[in-house]
């Protein structure tokens, strides 16, 4: 692998190891041959990766396929907050099928939202808007199966 012969790498990903889609293009940077990439969207339970390598003469070849097992527990959840605008985004990723619901209460314990999503597998993306609510702290309870996860929501 001579850096002078390289034009770019295309990092490709697949759920089955057969059909690949590009997720990152890495253009040549001088003589540098080491690169890194963190995939924030692992597939369940397996992700396959390969490099499509393009040389300056436009010759293309592929690396060996690398398999990564997603060993996460049953779930991953994240809540993104835009406190200034009272907007929130909930992302849940599940390996198994579970009932999911959310409940939001204000600082006085008054329920302001209840949403049942039913039984889901895979990914849930849900936007929560509290435009009409006063500033302060709200409490989001995420119920997944028989477990409860809590997140404080700040509204400025």
């Amino acid at each position: 692998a001579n850096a002078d012969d390289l034009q770019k790498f295309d990092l490709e990903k697949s759920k089955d190891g057969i059909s690949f889609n590009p997720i990152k293009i890495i253009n040549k940077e001088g003589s540098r041959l080491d690169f890194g990439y963190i995939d924030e969207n692992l597939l369940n339970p397996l992700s396959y990766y390969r490099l499509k390598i393009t040389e300056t003469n436009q010759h293309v070849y592929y690396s060996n396929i690398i398999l990564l097992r997603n060993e996460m527990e049953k779930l991953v959840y994240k809540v993104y907050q835009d406190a200034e605008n009272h907007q929130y985004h909930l992302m849940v990723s599940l390996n198994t099928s579970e009932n999911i619901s959310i409940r939001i209460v204000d600082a006085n314990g008054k329920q302001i939202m209840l949403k049942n999503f039913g039984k889901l597998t895979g990914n849930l993306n849900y936007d929560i808007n509290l435009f009409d609510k006063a500033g302060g702290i709200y409490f989001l309870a995420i119920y997944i199966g028989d477990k409860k996860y809590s997140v404080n929501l700040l509204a400025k």
Side-chain angles (χ1 to χ4, degrees):
N2 182 348
D4 294 334
D5 295 336
L6 297 176
Q7 180 180 347
K8 67 177 180 169
F9 299 105
D10 292 31
L11 178 59
E12 298 180 338
K13 180 177 171 180
S14 170
K15 63 181 177 182
D16 59 10
I18 298 168
S19 299
F20 285 84
N21 294 306
I23 59 171
K24 176 74 176 172
I25 296 173
I26 304 165
N27 290 309
K28 177 184 167 186
E29 296 175 15
S31 61
R32 184 176 172 200
L33 289 175
D34 61 325
F35 300 93
Y37 179 77
I38 297 173
D39 187 356
E40 297 285 343
N41 299 302
L42 292 176
L43 302 174
N44 287 319
L46 305 171
S47 295
Y48 297 86
Y49 298 90
R50 72 179 182 190
L51 284 177
K52 176 182 175 185
I53 303 160
T54 305
E55 294 180 330
T56 54
N57 64 7
Q58 300 306 308
H59 181 258
V60 173
Y61 59 97
Y62 293 90
S63 70
N64 292 331
I65 295 172
I66 296 173
L67 167 65
L68 293 180
R69 293 187 186 281
N70 189 350
E71 298 293 342
M72 75 176 187
E73 284 188 16
K74 186 188 254 189
L75 71 109
V76 171
Y77 73 90
K78 295 179 185 178
V79 177
Y80 301 95
Q81 300 191 34
D82 179 356
E84 293 289 332
N85 295 311
H86 300 209
Q87 293 180 312
Y88 313 90
H89 181 76
L90 171 66
M91 188 280 301
V92 178
S93 182
L94 296 166
N95 282 354
T96 60
S97 183
E98 298 284 350
N99 284 313
I100 300 177
S101 62
I102 61 171
R103 180 176 183 244
I104 299 175
V105 298
D106 65 15
N108 296 320
K110 179 182 175 193
Q111 179 176 296
I112 60 169
M113 180 185 284
L114 179 64
K115 174 80 174 161
N116 184 355
F117 299 98
K119 199 166 200 162
L120 298 175
T121 304
N123 296 324
L124 167 69
N125 288 287
Y126 185 71
D127 290 319
I128 301 166
N129 296 309
L130 301 179
F131 299 127
D132 59 341
K133 303 300 178 201
I137 299 287
Y138 294 87
F139 305 97
L140 168 63
I142 306 164
Y143 299 93
I144 302 174
D146 60 354
K147 293 194 167 77
K148 175 183 174 184
Y149 304 88
S150 299
V151 177
N152 294 345
L153 302 177
L154 175 64
K156 292 185 178 183

